[in-house]
Amino acid sequence: LMLFGSRVVFRTGNPINEHDLEKVSAGFARSIIVLSPSGVSPDDADDRALRQVLALVRLKQGCGGKLRGHIVVELQDSDNLPMLQIVGKGDVEAVVSHDLIGRLMLLAA
């Protein structure tokens, strides 16, 4: 795995809890990646991702706008993309895994 001088740090905790986000210094991260949980329905997975983004937006408001990280969120259903844009207030980019995998399979065929 080539990181090209980057340092990757993994943290654990409840990503919806603001205290846990502060404890892991989410406000100082350069990038924040919200992965979709496995083993749940696509709607439940996207619901959890939206709640995580809400917690990050609250953290940003609580820090006086000091959340500097680029936020990328994995969604499973493209129908939830407009809701993510509303919740993320334009500061969030989404990757719809279902669509991405389908496109990759078409390119590989």
Side-chain angles (χ1 to χ4, degrees):
L1 180 63
M2 297 180 68
L3 299 177
F4 301 105
S6 295
R7 191 178 81 174
V8 178
V9 179
F10 294 91
R11 302 284 188 216
T12 60
N14 184 352
I16 300 172
N17 187 330
E18 289 179 56
H19 176 70
D20 284 356
L21 290 173
E22 290 173 1
K23 188 168 79 172
V24 299
S25 300
F28 297 104
R30 282 194 253 159
S31 299
I32 298 172
I33 302 171
V34 177
L35 295 174
S36 183
S38 59
V40 296
S41 72
D43 285 332
D44 288 341
D46 288 354
D47 177 55
R48 289 182 188 180
L50 286 170
R51 287 189 284 157
Q52 290 176 23
V53 170
L54 271 173
L56 288 167
V57 168
R58 282 194 313 264
L59 180 68
K60 181 177 182 177
Q61 292 168 349
C63 292
K66 293 182 182 175
L67 182 66
R68 64 179 188 151
H70 182 74
I71 303 171
V72 179
V73 180
E74 177 190 7
L75 292 178
Q76 292 189 14
D77 189 355
S78 60
D79 293 339
N80 295 323
L81 194 54
M83 182 64 74
L84 179 69
Q85 294 303 324
I86 292 170
V87 168
K89 300 179 181 177
D91 294 335
V92 177
E93 290 191 40
V95 175
V96 182
S97 57
H98 187 278
D99 291 348
L100 182 64
I101 291 170
R103 289 179 187 171
L104 287 174
M105 295 206 38
L106 283 175
L107 289 173

